[in-house]
Amino acid sequence: MTSRPPQMTDRNALLRQRARAARDPVLFLHDEAAREIEERLAEINKAFTSPALVGNVREPFRRLLPDAPIVPDADRLDFTGPHDLLVHAFGLHWADDPVGQIVQSRLALVPDGLFLAVLFGGQTLHELRASLAEAETRLTGGLSPRVLPMADVRELGALLQRGGLALPVADSVRLTVRYRELAGLIHDLRGMGETNALAGRHRRVPPKALFTLAERLYSEAFAEPEGFLPATFELVFLTGWAPSDSQQTPLRPGSAKARLADALNTRETPLED
């Protein structure tokens, strides 16, 4: 029997957060991510006729693929049929089993179909994470889960291979947003639906003193000369293709038909043992 991955996300809390965010949305990161994805698709010499959207799909992604069905990023993805393009939007960083999400996406793709995901990477909110941890340690002597743990781009890129996708590529775009006070950052996170939905979070309301102290520590450690508080958002983009016999594959070692030295018109110098 296959064991279930440990539960990281309180799914009901996450859905409540997303529903509240939809009433007062903050979409500048979704706008940026949708533009990046549009540019990536424009560079591919291929027409996609049966796309689908997965995850926390907001208006910028709907404008990008207006006819695509939207699939909630539940543990089990409910695809309606085979697709030649899947865009997984801001859902994988909340997934208890991100490899399982990628495997399900691969199985829903036609051969040589494209999987393209955007999610938050490990540098996201590192300033807030450090400030809250220091403040809570000072006030209580311990730590509780307050900011979602996120992986770096290399670890996230490895998920594509584990999920069985071919020609995997992972890259990231780092944005710095400047706030006059911590409350502005918290407001934007609420409008994105990206506040604390960790299963292990404390359910009681945090003391006001925690955020007062965190803001002071944030300012002391990270404030810019003008007094603004910088907040880092790292958008990681994952690209992979459903395997197909028509895709290019690397040659076997030793199978080359010509020598590089001949092509460069130079002498080949053997390496010493």
Side-chain angles (χ1 to χ4, degrees), residues 204-258:
R204 63 179 181 273
V205 178
K208 184 178 180 180
L210 173 66
F211 292 100
T212 301
L213 178 56
E215 184 169 28
R216 178 167 67 81
L217 296 170
Y218 201 134
S219 181
E220 291 173 355
F222 302 106
E224 298 177 342
E226 301 85 356
F228 288 99
L229 303 178
T232 299
F233 293 93
E234 184 184 22
L235 305 183
V236 175
F237 296 88
L238 304 178
T239 305
W241 296 83
S244 168
D245 293 338
S246 64
Q247 288 167 349
Q248 294 181 342
T249 57
L251 294 173
R252 297 189 310 276
S255 62
K257 297 291 192 295

Side-chain angles (χ1 to χ4, degrees), residues 85-126:
L85 170 65
L86 293 179
V87 174
H88 205 302
F90 289 109
L92 280 180
H93 55 273
W94 286 111
D96 289 333
D97 183 13
V99 174
Q101 293 271 306
I102 294 173
V103 169
Q104 292 179 73
S105 298
R106 173 177 59 80
L107 294 175
L109 286 167
V110 299
D112 206 32
L114 176 62
F115 173 83
L116 213 167
V118 58
L119 67 158
F120 289 117
Q123 289 301 307
T124 299
L125 300 178
H126 70 86

